Amino acid sequence: FDKWVPVDLYIGGIEHAVLHLLYARFWHKFLYDIGVVGTKEPFGKLMNQGLMMGSDNQKMSKSRGNVISPDEMIKNFGADALRLYEMFMGPFEDSKSLDPHGIVGTKRFLDRVWNFVSKNLETESSDAQALKSLHKTIKKVTGDIENFRFNTAISALMIFLNEAENLALNKNDLVSFLKILSPFAPHIAQELGSQLGYKKLFDVDAWPTYDDKVVEENTFELIIQINGKTRSKVVAPRGIDEGSAQELALADGQVKKWLSGAEIKKVIFVQNRLINL
């Protein structure tokens, strides 16, 4: 009794909220009232996933004849491609229409992942740009998974592959990439990991970490305002001082146009963000 803790996370479809959520909560509160359990609520957090609709944008049902069986899709494209596609369709909590043709794109992505890893099986050193992109992706995917933004996490993985596909990654960095892919495509990730000589299972192994120093950009977009209104933006080195930022601003063509030779009476400077003349 002293060690009783609620369920960390409850996930269920909104259409079952009465029969599942309210029923379980009712019984838990009854058990709490009679002193059997020690917490008032049975769940720490509730997440409702969106309804999966047919290709006609209607709820799947036998009577409508719009039920799509996953068996044929798995047979033709694999379980990983289907799993990836379902999480890529849209936000977790939104209803989505299942298009059997949409899985082609995720299957193509996984094929490219296979080719990318296969060609780097013996690579000893990682390209600096590919490594930077990987660390940014680890940071993005980590945050998105924690917040159930699976579709944007998968999008980040696709962006990474676009950036790194023609670059080099060594075995350790490839394993880090496969680890953040594995929640979405566990079979292909684990198989490629074994080809790299990695013996552990990704689902019980440590999650990769990212280096903020690698992720940090050396430049930023300096916003230039005139009397509080944004008139232009220029790329500037991170850490630029006020004097140098003002020189950049005054050299910009749009700023020259808006100033028209007027005298600057005051400057407001926010480092790594904006300058207001």
Side-chain angles (χ1 to χ4, degrees):
F1 178 84
D2 293 336
K3 295 181 179 179
W4 174 271
V5 292
V7 172
D8 293 325
L9 176 64
Y10 181 105
I11 301 175
I14 192 68
E15 72 276 15
H16 297 299
V18 174
L19 292 179
H20 291 181
L21 171 63
L22 292 182
Y23 194 65
R25 191 164 180 254
F26 167 81
W27 276 108
H28 184 92
K29 284 186 171 292
F30 167 73
L31 294 172
Y32 175 77
D33 288 343
I34 65 173
V36 176
V37 297
T39 60
K40 289 185 177 181
E41 294 292 341
F43 319 120
K45 183 178 182 180
L46 167 69
M47 293 289 293
N48 290 123
Q49 79 268 22
L51 200 63
M52 189 65 73
M53 318 287 277
S55 56
D56 57 356
N57 294 321
Q58 298 292 320
K59 182 178 178 180
M60 288 191 196
S61 69
K62 292 181 180 179
S63 61
R64 290 194 180 97
N66 64 348
V67 175
I68 301 173
S69 171
D71 296 342
E72 193 68 21
M73 300 173 75
I74 292 173
K75 179 181 177 181
N76 293 330
F77 301 100
D80 278 348
L82 177 59
R83 180 186 177 100
L84 196 72
Y85 170 57
E86 288 184 329
M87 287 187 279
F88 185 56
M89 289 170 64
F92 177 81
E93 67 279 3
D94 287 2
S95 296
K96 311 165 191 71
S97 296
L98 185 62
D99 179 4
H101 302 291
I103 194 175
V104 175
T106 55
K107 175 61 166 62
R108 189 181 300 119
F109 166 70
L110 292 177
D111 288 343
R112 289 171 56 205
V113 169
W114 184 277
N115 293 333
F116 172 61
V117 175
S118 297
K119 78 173 185 179
N120 282 286
L121 290 177
E122 304 300 327
T123 300
E124 295 183 357
S125 60
S126 295
D127 182 272
Q129 186 57 43
L131 189 59
K132 182 175 183 177
S133 181
L134 175 62
H135 280 254
K136 289 172 64 177
T137 306
I138 292 172
K139 182 177 182 179
K140 171 68 174 169
V141 171
T142 300
D144 282 350
I145 288 178
E146 290 174 350
N147 291 285
F148 277 68
R149 294 193 294 262
F150 302 137
N151 58 319
T152 56
I154 294 169
S155 177
L157 290 167
M158 293 178 172
I159 291 171
F160 165 76
L161 188 62
N162 289 338
E163 294 176 348
E165 197 166 16
N166 296 316
L167 302 174
L169 275 185
N170 65 26
K171 290 184 179 182
N172 289 336
D173 294 327
L174 284 172
V175 166
S176 293
F177 167 63
L178 293 173
K179 282 183 179 181
I180 62 174
L181 173 66
S182 63
F184 312 103
H187 304 95
I188 188 174
Q190 195 68 59
E191 173 60 27
L192 287 170
S194 67
Q195 291 188 23
L196 289 165
Y198 202 76
K199 304 298 184 183
K200 298 180 183 178
L201 292 175
F202 289 150
D203 58 348
V204 295
D205 201 9
W207 187 256
T209 57
Y210 57 87
D211 187 340
D212 276 320
K213 292 181 179 179
V214 176
V215 173
E216 186 177 326
E217 297 287 349
N218 295 322
T219 60
F220 74 103
E221 196 171 51
L222 175 67
I223 298 171
I224 305 174
Q225 297 179 340
I226 299 176
N227 292 330
K229 294 184 178 181
T230 299
R231 299 304 185 187
S232 188
K233 297 177 182 179
V234 295
V235 176
R238 189 166 292 278
I240 190 173
D241 59 31
E242 181 178 329
S244 300
Q246 185 171 337
E247 288 181 12
L248 271 180
L250 295 177
D252 183 78
Q254 287 294 319
V255 173
K256 289 180 179 179
K257 173 185 171 183
W258 282 100
L259 286 177
S260 299
E263 180 185 353
I264 299 173
K265 296 183 178 180
K266 186 178 181 181
V267 176
I268 299 174
F269 176 64
V270 181
Q271 194 172 54
N272 297 331
R273 187 177 177 189
L274 66 82
I275 184 166
N276 180 26
L277 307 176

